[in-house]
């Protein structure tokens, strides 16, 4: 009997029948599976299962997709449909229980259950309703699948499985520290940010930035913001504070435009006028020179004095832009202004070869009429033999120790701390004086206790045979004592080293001679040992000392590398780094920290050579320890072309508008220091009582001092200085602390960073027919520890060495009528003593 329209609905309510979209399909036919949806694709129409066509029945159109939980679920089971295979199933179930219920297939009802026909199939009304419900269930499953995929994408993105990684939140790694004022503050260190980035798989590059923050403080990410997502494994650049300093691009900017930059440095900033010529192409009002040099940090010891900015202003003197000028034109220009001009060669960058590379006084200095000026012009390796050798009367070519071409500051390509990343070469004397060529050098801050440990070009020699550069007098090239020294090659570079190849007796370089011996590492006189001459030197050593290789422009770096001069591992490391800039003079300085052995025993009875210098003594060809490090852009020290050796405090202020200073005031002065300086204030003198030389010193109550040293030799004349020669030094400085001793004396600490000599040590000028050479002042070679004896002092307690510097006032034990105060340089080699007598 045919079913009527009043068929009893299946449990759960009637559902309209869903006609087959395939017209004419036979009842019960199975449609072909539809396309499998692709995750992320926009879903199209859900394929419907085929069913018997009913003539004249309209095809219903889908309406809105119901949400999970809004569809009434049938109580009776619906048999699985073939089309279900086309529905994508999520890889993991959703958490929503309603969704789970919607996705759970209904159980199959077994034959004989109520509501089924004789064949076991659902009644016609039941089947119709199930068919009507199926598309909606399918649509729900598709939507749920898309939701699950979207949720998975979101969660994996948030977990940084894909889409890059976020930069660390620095607040999570901040640490509480105490600043200089004693206050607590939260600080993020660059090294901690680096560690956090590396833990996430990033590569890290650190860029130093000058600021008022302490060195090492994290300043920010470069080019990206905190929290940004960055491609995994990429390089992230972070900015690290290098403390206060002068950015590289400062020179040439308008001075007013850099005010904000320097106002945040946290140190005093002084704007001073520097000279440019009337016809200079450099405009007025721009930054012409700075201290410290552009691209370098302000030394810790100079924080109290601060930064100096030279602002260009037309006037009389040496134009600050004289660097790079044609040397002959520069001489003529200064001579036309009434100045006396002397020319001196100096190793320089390629751009300055044959041109002006520096001056004394420094570029930018104002000069009075008739003043003397020394101009330095650039040279390269082609001038080596002219500068560093001399001919003897016998026609031999020997070493000439000449400091003038090398003196100056040398810094690494990246300067974070000037005290560590820069070295300054200064001219000095050697124990063996002019007879050994003169013109030795020392590294500022490395001044040795013995003059024999100053830097020179060769080994110790009592005659010319030990310092010959070319064969002669029956000596073949391979037998030259300097055969292994680079200066005998034609590659351009040469060594400067301390100790002159002498072994040490204790801490002192020792040359054997009559009247003394080294006994277990202590120098003793034969007289103290009974005047017996048969003493064997014992306890002597070879020590690793200051050693550097100087490379003028044009040096053949590859030839030296290929020769095996450098340690192989160090050379491998250097080859992976940025190549050294050979257009600038540079220094490779031996790093003793890279060696496991820096001292070896010396056997006075053997001919064992010094392993730390390039010797060729006694016919023994020495293979020196290999040099570490090898040259690369990050390991060498480049010449800083002279531009900052100015007497800043004497220069007039520039008219620059600056914000109100927030510099902190110094702490209250220590009462012991104040007491000591009040007693020490006065004028002192030092001299031996013989010769036309002496040193003067004036101490002020605030601890500052000034003085001068002069030593004249009217018999030492030459071309251009017929009236003789004079060594001269004008200096300033200050004491920074004082300790009162139980005997009423005071131990004073001199501030080495504040000690300044007017001019460059080793430079010369001619004035009124006298050659004046800037030198270190006798009595103040070291600015370290002094002992102050207040008035009145019993001078009888002084030893003869101290009395010798009284200018003849204290001879032998006669101290009658001599009262006053004294200041002893306790770190000087000869106990230099300054006196301030009452009468």
């Amino acid at each position: 009997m045919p079913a009527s329209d009043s068929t009893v609905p299946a449990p759960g309510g009637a559902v309209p029948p869903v006609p087959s979209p395939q017209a004419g399909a036979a009842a019960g036919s199975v449609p072909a599976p539809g396309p499998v949806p692709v995750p992320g694709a926009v879903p199209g129409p859900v394929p419907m299962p085929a069913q018997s066509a009913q003539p004249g029945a309209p095809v219903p159109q889908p309406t809105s997709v119901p949400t999970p939980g809004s569809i009434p679920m049938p109580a009776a089971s619906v048999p699985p449909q073939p089309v279900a295979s086309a529905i994508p199933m999520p890889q993991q179930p959703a958490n929503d229980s309603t969704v789970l219920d919607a996705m759970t297939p209904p159980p199959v009802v077994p034959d004989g259950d109520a509501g089924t026909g004789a064949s076991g199939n659902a009644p016609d009304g039941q089947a119709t309703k199930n068919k009507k419900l199926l598309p909606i269930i399918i649509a729900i499953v598709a939507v749920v699948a898309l939701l699950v995929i979207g949720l998975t994408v979101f969660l994996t993105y948030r977990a940084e499985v894909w889409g890059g990684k976020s930069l660390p939140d620095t607040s999570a790694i901040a640490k509480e520290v105490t600043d200089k004022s004693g206050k607590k503050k939260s600080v993020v260190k660059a090294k901690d940010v680096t560690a956090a980035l590396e833990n996430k798989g990033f590569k890290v590059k650190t860029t130093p930035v000058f600021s008022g923050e302490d060195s090492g403080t994290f300043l920010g990410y470069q080019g990206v913001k905190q929290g940004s997502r960055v491609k995994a494994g990429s390089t992230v650049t972070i900015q690290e504070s290098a403390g206060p300093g002068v950015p590289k691009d400062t020179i040439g900017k308008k001075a007013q435009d850099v005010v904000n930059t320097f106002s945040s440095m946290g140190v005093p900033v002084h704007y001073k006028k520097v000279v440019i010529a009337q016809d200079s192409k450099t405009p007025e009002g721009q930054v012409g020179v700075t201290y410290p040099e552009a691209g370098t940090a302000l030394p810790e010891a100079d924080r109290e004095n601060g930064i100096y900015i030279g602002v260009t202003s037309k006037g009389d003197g040496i134009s600050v832009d004289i660097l790079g000028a044609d040397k002959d034109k520069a001489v003529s220009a200064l001579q036309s202004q009434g100045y006396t001009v002397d020319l001196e060669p100096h190793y320089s960058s390629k751009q300055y070869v044959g041109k002006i590379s520096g001056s004394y006084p420094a570029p930018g200095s104002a000069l009075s009429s008739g003043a003397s000026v020394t101009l330095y012009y650039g040279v390269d390796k082609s001038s080596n033999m002219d500068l560093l050798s001399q001919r003897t009367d016998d026609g031999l070519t020997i070493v000439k120790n000449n400091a003038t071409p090398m003196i100056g500051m040398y810094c690494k390509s990246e300067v974070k701390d000037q005290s560590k990343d820069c070295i300054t070469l200064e001219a000095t004397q050697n124990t063996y004086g002019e007879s050994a060529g003169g013109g030795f050098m020392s590294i500022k801050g490395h001044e040795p206790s013995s003059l024999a440990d100053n830097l020179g070009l060769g080994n110790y020699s009592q005659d010319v045979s030990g310092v010959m550069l070319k064969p002669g007098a029956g000596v073949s090239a391979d037998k030259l004592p300097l055969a292994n020294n680079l200066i005998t090659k034609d590659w351009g570079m040469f060594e400067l080293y301390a100790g002159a190849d002498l072994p040490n007796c204790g801490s002192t370089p020792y040359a054997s001679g009559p009247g003394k011996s080294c006994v277990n590492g202590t120098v003793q006189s034969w007289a103290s040992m009974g005047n017996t001459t048969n003493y064997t030197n014992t306890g002597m050593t070879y020590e690793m000392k200051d050693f550097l290789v100087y490379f003028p422009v044009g040096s053949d770096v590859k030839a030296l590398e290929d020769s095996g001069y450098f340690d192989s591992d160090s050379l491998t490391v250097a080859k992976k780094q940025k190549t050294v800039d050979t257009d600038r003079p540079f220094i490779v300085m031996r790093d003793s920290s890279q060696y496991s052995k820096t001292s070896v025993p010396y056997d006075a009875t053997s001919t064992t050579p010094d392993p730390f210098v390039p010797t060729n003594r006694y016919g023994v060809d020495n293979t020196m320890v290999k040099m570490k490090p090898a040259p690369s852009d990050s390991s060498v020290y480049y010449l800083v072309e002279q531009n900052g050796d100015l007497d800043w405090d004497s220069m007039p202020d520039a008219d620059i508008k600056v914000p109100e200073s927030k510099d902190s005031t110094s702490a209250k002065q220590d009462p012991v220091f104040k007491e000591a300086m009040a007693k020490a204030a006065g004028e002192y003198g030092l001299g031996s009582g013989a010769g036309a030389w002496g040193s003067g010193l004036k101490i002020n109550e605030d601890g500052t001092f000034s003085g001068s040293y002069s030593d004249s030799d009217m018999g030492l004349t030459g071309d251009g200085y017929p009236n003789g020669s004079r060594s001269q030094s004008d200096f300033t400085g200050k004491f920074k602390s004082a300790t009162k001793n139980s005997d009423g004396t005071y131990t004073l600490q001199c501030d080495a960073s504040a000690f300044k000599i007017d001019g460059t040590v080793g430079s010369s000028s001619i004035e009124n027919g006298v050659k004046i050479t800037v030198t270190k002042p006798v009595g103040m070679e070291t600015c370290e520890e002094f002992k102050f004896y207040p008035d009145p002092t019993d001078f009888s307690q002084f030893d003869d060495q101290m009395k010798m510097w009284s200018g003849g006032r204290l001879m032998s034990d006669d101290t009658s009528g001599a009262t006053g105060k004294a200041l002893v340089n306790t770190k000087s080699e000869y106990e230099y003593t300054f006196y301030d007598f009452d009468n």
Side-chain angles (χ1 to χ4, degrees):
M1 172 176 185
S4 67
D5 292 340
S6 60
T7 303
V8 177
V15 179
V18 180
S20 169
Q22 298 175 327
S29 62
V30 180
V36 178
V38 179
V42 177
V46 180
M48 299 298 179
Q51 66 178 31
S52 299
Q54 297 183 12
V59 180
Q61 298 299 319
T63 57
S64 59
V65 180
T67 58
S70 64
I71 306 299
M73 300 303 293
S77 301
V78 178
Q81 301 297 319
V83 74
S85 62
I87 301 174
M89 297 302 292
Q91 294 182 358
Q92 59 184 26
N95 293 328
D96 191 291
S97 60
T98 305
V99 174
L100 286 172
D101 292 340
M103 293 176 60
T104 303
V108 177
V109 180
D111 291 345
D113 280 0
T116 63
S119 63
N121 293 328
D124 290 344
Q126 176 77 28
T128 300
K129 294 170 184 174
N130 288 346
K131 290 177 181 179
K132 293 178 180 179
L133 180 62
L134 182 60
I136 298 175
I137 296 175
I138 293 173
I140 293 171
V141 171
V143 171
V144 170
L146 292 176
L147 289 174
V148 170
I149 293 172
L151 180 61
T152 302
V153 169
F154 169 75
L155 292 175
T156 54
Y157 176 82
R158 191 170 65 178
E160 300 184 351
V161 175
W162 64 279
K165 295 181 180 292
S166 59
L167 299 181
D169 180 359
T170 56
S171 63
I173 54 179
K175 297 179 181 178
E176 191 176 70
V177 299
T178 303
D179 62 18
K180 295 178 181 178
S181 65
K183 296 180 180 179
K184 295 282 187 179
K185 65 177 182 179
S186 182
V187 172
V188 180
K189 291 293 185 181
K191 62 182 180 64
D192 296 326
V193 177
T194 297
L197 287 167
E198 290 176 343
N199 285 339
K200 282 197 162 194
F202 289 115
K203 299 174 184 177
V204 184
K205 179 182 178 182
T206 302
T207 299
V209 177
F210 298 122
S211 77
E213 297 292 336
D214 292 337
S215 296
T217 301
F218 173 73
L219 298 179
Y221 297 107
Q222 185 170 296
V224 290
K225 294 181 179 180
Q226 182 172 297
S228 300
R229 293 182 75 102
V230 179
K231 182 179 179 181
S234 60
T235 299
V236 177
T237 301
I238 65 173
Q239 295 177 327
E240 176 183 9
S241 176
V246 179
K248 283 184 178 180
D249 59 353
T250 300
I251 304 297
K253 287 186 174 181
K254 289 183 179 180
Q256 195 62 59
D257 292 345
V258 303
V259 168
N260 288 336
T261 297
F262 288 101
S263 65
S264 62
M265 289 295 173
V267 296
V269 181
H270 314 276
Y271 293 86
K272 298 286 187 175
K273 289 183 179 180
V274 293
V275 172
I276 54 173
Q278 296 295 334
D279 59 350
S280 174
K281 295 181 181 180
T282 299
E284 291 188 286
Q286 76 175 30
V287 180
V289 62
T290 64
Y291 178 80
E293 287 75 13
T296 61
L298 182 68
E300 180 74 33
D302 285 348
R303 299 287 173 90
E304 185 177 336
N305 297 326
I307 293 172
Y308 291 85
I309 309 294
V311 183
T312 54
S313 178
K314 292 182 178 180
D316 296 327
I318 305 174
S319 185
V320 74
D321 55 6
I322 196 172
L323 272 68
D326 179 86
K327 62 185 180 68
D328 296 325
K329 291 181 179 179
V331 170
S332 297
L334 288 171
Q335 288 177 336
S336 67
Q337 298 178 55
Y339 304 126
T340 301
V341 184
D342 185 30
L343 269 176
E344 292 281 358
H346 196 284
Y347 289 116
S348 72
S349 299
K350 186 176 181 179
Q351 62 179 328
Y352 294 137
V353 172
K355 301 177 181 179
I356 300 301
S357 63
S359 69
Y360 174 73
S365 299
L367 298 176
S368 57
S369 178
S372 295
V373 176
T374 298
L375 295 181
Y376 297 102
Y377 66 94
V379 295
D380 56 18
K381 79 150 192 170
S382 63
S383 297
N384 280 2
M385 288 299 103
D386 292 336
L387 301 175
L388 306 177
S389 70
Q390 58 187 346
R391 298 277 288 180
T392 68
D393 294 338
D394 298 330
L396 300 176
T397 302
I398 65 172
V399 164
K400 177 184 179 182
N401 284 295
N402 179 12
T404 301
M406 285 86 77
I407 55 177
M409 177 181 282
Y410 298 78
C411 294
K412 291 190 174 181
S413 57
E414 190 173 275
V415 180
K416 293 183 179 179
D417 184 343
Q418 193 177 95
S419 64
K420 298 178 181 178
D421 299 330
C422 298
I423 59 174
T424 298
L425 293 183
E426 296 181 322
T428 186
Q429 290 297 311
N430 188 278
T431 299
Y432 314 109
E434 294 296 330
S435 63
F440 290 85
M441 281 171 287
S442 66
I443 299 173
K444 187 176 182 180
H446 290 214
E447 293 86 352
S449 58
S450 171
L451 294 178
D453 270 340
N454 282 320
L455 298 170
L457 287 161
N459 302 321
Y460 171 73
S461 180
Q462 294 175 302
D463 56 51
V464 296
S465 65
V467 289
M468 292 171 55
L469 294 176
K470 295 181 179 180
V475 180
S476 61
D478 63 327
K479 297 300 182 183
L480 289 174
L482 297 182
N484 294 323
N485 290 56
L486 294 177
I487 195 171
T488 63
K489 318 295 182 186
D490 60 358
W491 299 336
M493 70 291 295
F494 50 87
E495 294 114 337
L496 294 167
Y497 50 94
D501 182 36
L502 290 171
N504 265 33
C505 180
S507 61
T508 306
Y510 180 80
S512 298
K516 63 179 180 179
S517 290
C518 181
V519 181
N520 296 326
T522 302
V523 179
Q524 296 188 25
S525 67
W526 291 349
S528 66
M529 297 184 292
N531 286 318
T532 301
T533 61
N534 189 24
Y535 283 99
T536 301
N537 292 314
T538 58
M540 297 172 66
T541 59
Y542 280 126
E543 301 292 331
M544 183 179 285
K545 301 176 180 179
D546 282 345
F547 185 99
L548 55 87
V549 181
Y550 193 99
F551 292 75
V553 166
S555 296
D556 191 344
V557 179
K558 187 176 185 302
L560 185 60
E561 291 176 338
D562 293 344
S563 72
Y565 191 86
F566 297 100
D567 174 79
S568 59
D569 291 339
S570 295
L571 189 58
T572 299
V573 171
K575 290 293 186 182
K576 296 178 181 179
Q577 298 173 338
K578 184 179 178 181
T579 305
V580 69
D581 182 0
T582 55
D583 286 344
R584 302 165 64 186
F586 63 87
I587 289 170
V588 175
M589 186 170 180
R590 182 161 58 195
D591 183 359
S592 60
S593 68
Q594 297 187 27
Y595 294 81
S596 59
K597 184 181 294 185
T598 59
S599 177
V600 296
Y602 167 77
D603 184 354
T605 64
S606 72
T607 56
T608 304
D610 186 344
F612 303 125
V613 297
T615 57
N616 188 37
R617 289 178 176 273
Y618 320 115
V620 178
D621 185 3
N622 175 37
T623 302
M624 184 181 69
V625 296
K626 301 300 183 181
M627 185 72 170
K628 302 179 187 180
S632 72
D633 184 68
S634 61
S635 67
V636 306
Y637 296 83
Y638 292 105
L639 172 68
V640 177
E641 308 287 354
Q642 181 185 342
N643 70 346
D645 189 17
L646 290 160
D647 185 5
W648 290 101
D649 292 332
S650 68
M651 299 167 67
D653 292 332
D655 185 16
I656 300 295
K657 295 180 180 179
V658 296
E660 292 185 10
S661 175
K662 297 181 180 179
D663 301 328
S664 59
T665 58
S666 57
K668 292 183 178 179
Q669 198 175 71
D670 176 51
V672 175
F673 178 76
K674 186 175 182 180
E675 174 186 284
M677 290 300 100
K679 293 181 178 181
E683 296 187 1
Y684 298 74
L686 179 152
S688 66
W693 75 274
S695 294
L697 175 68
K698 181 181 179 181
I699 300 177
N700 303 311
E701 289 194 10
D702 63 356
T704 60
F705 60 79
S706 60
S708 63
Y709 160 75
S710 177
D711 183 10
S712 298
D713 187 347
M714 296 298 102
L716 185 58
T717 60
D719 186 19
Y721 52 101
N723 298 329
S725 302
R726 183 169 73 247
S727 296
Q728 182 172 306
S729 182
D730 297 315
F731 58 89
T732 58
K734 66 179 181 179
F735 296 105
K736 60 182 180 180
S737 65
T739 303
K740 191 170 184 178
N741 304 315
S742 59
D743 61 356
T745 63
Y746 296 83
T747 299
L748 308 180
Q749 295 297 328
C750 184
D751 187 349
S753 66
F755 185 75
K756 307 293 182 184
I757 295 175
D758 185 10
T760 303
V761 174
S763 62
S764 300
S765 61
I766 298 175
E767 188 171 345
N768 299 323
V770 177
K771 183 178 180 179
I772 302 172
T773 301
V774 179
T775 186
K776 291 185 178 181
V778 171
M780 296 296 295
E781 291 97 334
T782 59
C783 177
E784 296 180 60
E785 183 182 278
F786 288 76
K787 190 171 185 179
F788 169 58
Y789 293 81
D791 188 17
T793 292
D794 179 7
F795 293 123
S796 64
Q797 64 180 299
F798 288 2
D799 58 33
D800 289 342
Q801 180 95 320
M802 295 165 62
K803 293 177 182 178
M804 184 171 64
W805 310 119
S806 65
R809 295 292 298 272
L810 303 175
M811 303 304 296
S812 185
D813 292 328
D814 182 12
T815 59
S816 60
T819 59
K821 47 195 177 184
L823 185 70
V824 183
N825 190 332
T826 59
K827 297 297 183 181
S828 64
E829 188 172 4
Y830 302 108
E831 291 185 292
Y832 287 122
T833 305
F834 291 87
Y835 290 90
D836 182 4
F837 292 105
D838 288 338
N839 51 58

